[in-house]
Amino acid sequence: MSKVPVRILLWMCCCVWVCNGDDGEYMLYKDPKQKVSDRVVDLLGRMTLEEKIGQMVQIDRSVATVNIMRDYFIGSVLSGGGSAPLPEATAQNWVDMINEYQKGALVSRLGIPMIYGIDAVHGHNNVFNATIFPHNVGLGATRDPDLVKRIGVATAVEVRATGIPYTFAPCIAVCRDPRWGRCYESYGEDHKVVENMTDIILGLQGEPPSNYKHGVPFVGGKDKVAACAKHYVGDGGTTRGINENNTVTDLHSLLNIHMPAYADAIYKGVSTVMVSYSSWNGEKMHANTKLITGYLKGTLKFKGFVISDWQGVDKISSPPHSNYTASVRAAIEAGIDMVMVPFNFTEFVNDLTSLVKNKVIPVTRIDDAVGRILRVKFTMGLFENPLADYSFSNELGSQAHRDLAREAVRKSLVLLKNGNKTNPMLPLPRKVSKILVTGTHADNLGYQCGGWTITWQGFNGNKDTRGTTILGAVKSAVDKTTEVIFNENPDAEFLKSNNFSYAIIAVGEPPYAETAGDNDKLTMMDPGPAIVTSTCQAVKCVVVVVSGRPLVMEPYVDSIEALVAAWLPGTEGQGVADALFGDHGFSGKLPVTWFRNTEQLPMNFGDSHYDPLFAYGTGLETESVASIVARSTSGSAAGAKPCLITLLVCLFFFPSLSWGLRR
């Protein structure tokens, strides 16, 4: 008899798993017609302690194998930042890899499917060719919950295209200090804006029906993913913005500033909540029983599962991992249900098993954790559809999603300065003899996307994924007769010897993520300051700041004709050109306060010492060229063509409009 390939054997086992138990008996938990709560109770009653603890474990894909999934009953696998099956992996490559891990889970005794998670925090950002949307700080500038909901829909489909049903998003931190290296992951400093933006959960997971019980996780179909509200709670309020540090505030402020978005997320059916590395008044959040079990699960009635951050249990002790068994006990007793132990999972399994067998941690706490994990898996249909297919492959980086990202970019732009009322610089003329595009960020897709893009810390250059830089967008936006000259760092002689009509300068920060982004200086990366100073002295200039937060700009503002905060716009640089050249007007509003100098920090709207360069909510609004023309000619008789006199009057009152009309 010839040998049967292992893949075929696994597939046969999966088919048996769908129908029967070990001896062909009816198993209620495998019956999709039964209530989720009954299926959870039935499955829990069949599980051994080892199988339960296995469900509480999430490991990184780099250590996952079919045998490990089967033998340790692993409940979840994740891709850490930038962890992919192959360089430039396709959607099919991702699906094939994840299905292999899933098949290992399905051939275990009870065949409980694992759930695969990834940080799709501004689109499916780990994946080559995916659509990269603006980071959250830019979306906060749009003040548009419907937009982020549509982004959630698009992101969910792209994540599902790669066979993944779970994303660690959205981050609903309230950034109270721009020195924090994760400030761009926040929608802003005002909790009300952050609350409104939790509508992205409705896009990612789908909208629960009107009679759905609030607090219960909801995932509405094969094109939706389980979401994760993070990082619970107060991560955006740490002292001096130091990542993973201590948030010093009273309970009233914690509940009024940092907690409201969690209540909204839970109301909207979020499936999971991730705990913060940070502490509250000196107590590690990963060990805070009152806030996890008491407030989140009790007061807010959250019924999904609580997950730790990457090696978050290790970091309960100082130095990390120095008293691991005690840390495991503290985390599980506090209410953490699934533990992200990316590599050394056997130590966690052994320690938790020992703690339960020695009656230090009661089995009821384990049952609560596993019941919550199973509830999410049943709710999202993993038991009925554990294996992914290629049906959504064409959605990855689709044109429709890129168009949506382009819309998000132009709506996120905040116009901070625009000449003066009688002589605005924007919109820019498309048809001139020669323009200069310059700056460190003008032709760098990696800088434009920021951290959490392809790799954890982001990338430098234009080769790591597909998109359009600001330079590319400008070239495609101007008239074909306009000469576009790019010089990243022009010297004085170059500026003097060329007769430029105007200059577009893109400057900002290099990519970073988490602690690597903590920054007390908040200055433009070199030679950005010198480029701005020399260019704006020689040429009429618009400066586009590409950054995850406000930067020091006060020394340069007077020499700048027009100033635009572009945040971290992602792959669709055309959105920047759309506003610069007047295809669409500017509408974004600052989601965070723009300081004068870093000595003022922290400084938020309403503070007694509030003296910003640009206040929270600032944002000049402009009309598109088309709407200006339409308004200026609306006085014409119905159906009549606008007369030459009317047009001349329009151009007199809107001198910058003449630039946009010269095609």
Side-chain angles (χ1 to χ4, degrees):
M1 180 178 177
S2 61
K3 292 184 177 180
V4 179
V6 174
R7 288 192 179 191
I8 295 177
L9 282 173
L10 285 169
W11 179 248
M12 292 169 64
C13 290
C14 292
C15 293
V16 172
W17 169 88
V18 172
C19 303
N20 305 305
D22 295 331
D23 54 5
E25 69 179 278
Y26 169 77
M27 290 189 161
L28 186 149
Y29 77 89
K30 293 184 179 178
D31 186 349
K33 297 179 181 178
Q34 302 298 323
K35 292 195 302 183
V36 167
S37 57
D38 291 340
R39 297 175 78 181
V40 170
V41 170
D42 180 68
L43 181 50
L44 264 178
R46 299 173 186 272
M47 297 174 73
T48 65
L49 177 61
E50 289 71 23
E51 288 167 329
K52 291 175 181 177
I53 289 176
Q55 284 299 298
M56 297 172 67
V57 175
Q58 184 180 67
I59 62 175
D60 187 73
R61 58 159 291 277
S62 62
V63 300
T65 66
V66 168
N67 289 343
I68 285 173
M69 299 302 298
R70 178 195 65 211
D71 297 343
Y72 287 90
F73 320 107
I74 299 297
S76 184
V77 180
L78 85 152
S79 277
S83 181
L86 295 167
E88 300 187 4
T90 65
Q92 291 89 341
N93 294 146
W94 281 91
V95 168
D96 292 343
M97 175 193 72
I98 292 164
N99 279 347
E100 286 299 303
Y101 301 145
Q102 187 66 283
K103 290 169 185 177
L106 296 179
V107 296
S108 62
R109 185 179 74 90
L110 293 169
I112 303 171
M114 66 89 181
I115 182 171
Y116 197 100
I118 197 166
D119 286 280
V121 299
H122 62 136
H124 201 5
N125 46 260
N126 273 15
V127 178
F128 179 75
N129 259 350
T131 308
I132 308 300
F133 292 91
H135 266 298
N136 286 356
V137 66
L139 298 182
T142 71
R143 304 294 202 276
D144 190 342
D146 178 69
L147 174 66
V148 297
K149 181 179 172 182
R150 289 184 284 135
I151 289 172
V153 171
T155 300
V157 173
E158 294 208 16
V159 172
R160 281 287 194 172
T162 57
I164 299 173
Y166 178 27
T167 176
F168 307 121
C171 176
I172 53 175
V174 181
C175 178
R176 306 292 285 178
D177 193 325
R179 291 174 291 189
W180 184 37
R182 306 192 78 151
C183 197
Y184 65 75
E185 297 184 55
S186 167
Y187 293 108
E189 70 180 47
D190 182 356
H191 68 85
K192 293 178 182 177
V193 170
V194 180
E195 287 173 68
N196 289 337
M197 294 303 174
T198 60
D199 273 10
I200 194 172
I201 294 166
L202 302 177
L204 291 166
Q205 297 192 156
E207 293 198 50
S210 57
N211 62 347
Y212 202 78
K213 188 174 181 180
H214 299 303
V216 177
F218 176 83
V219 182
K222 294 173 70 174
D223 60 344
K224 302 298 180 185
V225 295
C228 179
K230 66 183 189 184
H231 308 84
Y232 186 84
V233 58
D235 52 335
T238 59
T239 301
R240 297 188 64 82
I242 298 172
N243 191 43
E244 304 183 15
N245 209 255
N246 192 26
T247 297
V248 180
T249 188
D250 58 23
L251 180 61
H252 176 80
S253 295
L254 186 79
L255 296 183
N256 281 278
I257 295 174
H258 300 284
M259 192 68 77
Y262 287 95
D264 274 31
I266 291 164
Y267 183 85
K268 291 168 183 173
V270 74
S271 296
T272 73
V273 171
M274 184 182 290
V275 179
S276 176
Y277 287 127
S278 59
S279 304
W280 176 49
N281 295 334
E283 183 177 357
K284 290 282 189 179
M285 279 305 310
H286 273 73
N288 196 312
T289 305
K290 290 182 179 179
L291 286 177
I292 298 174
T293 295
Y295 199 85
L296 181 63
K297 293 182 175 181
T299 303
L300 296 182
K301 296 180 169 41
F302 175 60
K303 302 300 182 185
F305 69 79
V306 178
I307 186 169
S308 82
D309 207 334
W310 178 278
Q311 295 181 325
V313 171
D314 300 57
K315 295 185 179 185
I316 290 174
S317 61
S318 183
H321 204 81
S322 58
N323 193 352
Y324 191 63
T325 302
S327 297
V328 170
R329 176 182 179 181
I332 302 304
E333 287 183 340
I336 293 176
D337 304 311
M338 182 178 283
V339 178
M340 201 182 288
V341 276
F343 309 120
N344 194 10
F345 64 92
T346 55
E347 181 184 19
F348 170 79
V349 168
N350 292 337
D351 280 6
L352 184 53
T353 301
S354 175
L355 287 166
V356 175
K357 286 185 175 179
N358 289 315
K359 297 183 170 31
V360 177
I361 294 177
V363 174
T364 52
R365 169 74 269 268
I366 304 302
D367 286 349
D368 171 61
V370 178
R372 289 168 176 272
I373 293 165
L374 295 177
R375 181 182 293 120
V376 170
K377 291 183 176 183
F378 280 124
T379 299
M380 64 194 303
L382 265 184
F383 281 79
E384 287 68 58
N385 297 289
L387 296 172
D389 57 36
Y390 305 145
S391 58
F392 294 119
S393 294
N394 291 336
E395 297 288 346
L396 189 69
S398 71
Q399 190 57 51
H401 295 165
R402 292 182 182 276
D403 290 344
L404 175 60
R406 182 174 179 172
E407 176 190 348
V409 172
R410 62 178 178 253
K411 287 183 175 179
S412 71
L413 302 174
V414 179
L415 181 58
L416 297 171
K417 182 180 180 182
N418 188 23
N420 55 62
K421 289 183 179 180
T422 59
N423 190 26
M425 183 174 184
L426 303 178
L428 296 171
R430 299 174 187 272
K431 189 173 183 178
V432 294
S433 60
K434 188 189 299 184
I435 65 174
L436 171 66
V437 178
T438 182
T440 51
H441 289 59
D443 190 32
N444 195 309
L445 196 61
Y447 287 2
Q448 197 170 292
C449 292
W452 290 110
T453 309
I454 305 300
T455 69
W456 177 38
Q457 294 292 330
F459 66 94
N460 179 1
N462 296 329
K463 296 181 179 179
D464 289 63
T465 196
R466 181 165 65 95
T468 303
T469 66
I470 293 171
L471 173 63
V474 169
K475 286 182 174 180
S476 63
V478 298
D479 187 86
K480 62 183 180 180
T481 63
T482 299
E483 185 179 3
V484 177
I485 305 295
F486 173 65
N487 186 326
E488 184 174 311
N489 185 13
D491 59 27
E493 182 58 33
F494 178 86
L495 292 168
K496 184 178 179 180
S497 61
N498 285 274
N499 186 26
F500 294 113
S501 299
Y502 58 85
I504 298 171
I505 307 170
V507 288
E509 298 182 291
Y512 55 82
E514 301 191 43
T515 303
D518 287 357
N519 189 332
D520 279 332
K521 306 297 183 186
L522 297 180
T523 53
M524 290 178 270
M525 67 177 287
D526 286 329
I531 295 171
V532 170
T533 300
S534 60
T535 306
C536 292
Q537 286 176 349
V539 187
K540 192 175 183 180
C541 67
V542 53
V543 173
V544 179
V545 182
V546 180
S547 66
R549 53 199 164 186
L551 301 178
V552 174
M553 292 303 298
E554 187 174 41
Y556 318 103
V557 168
D558 288 345
S559 66
I560 295 170
E561 193 72 19
L563 178 62
V564 177
W567 314 109
L568 296 169
T571 52
E572 308 313 303
Q574 302 101 319
V576 176
D578 286 345
L580 291 180
F581 292 97
D583 288 326
H584 296 267
F586 283 89
S587 59
K589 304 295 181 185
L590 282 182
V592 288
T593 295
W594 203 294
F595 56 85
R596 294 181 181 276
N597 57 71
T598 55
E599 285 72 28
Q600 296 176 296
L601 301 176
M603 179 175 64
N604 301 109
F605 182 74
D607 289 347
S608 58
H609 65 292
Y610 199 69
D611 180 30
L613 180 62
F614 300 108
Y616 170 84
T618 295
L620 302 175
E621 295 187 12
T622 64
E623 295 181 85
S624 68
V625 170
S627 64
I628 294 173
V629 171
R631 179 167 53 79
S632 65
T633 59
S634 61
S636 302
K641 294 182 179 180
C643 68
L644 178 60
I645 294 176
T646 304
L647 185 57
L648 290 173
V649 169
C650 172
L651 296 181
F652 177 80
F653 284 106
F654 299 94
S656 65
L657 175 60
S658 62
W659 294 5
L661 292 177
R662 278 179 278 175
R663 307 288 174 114

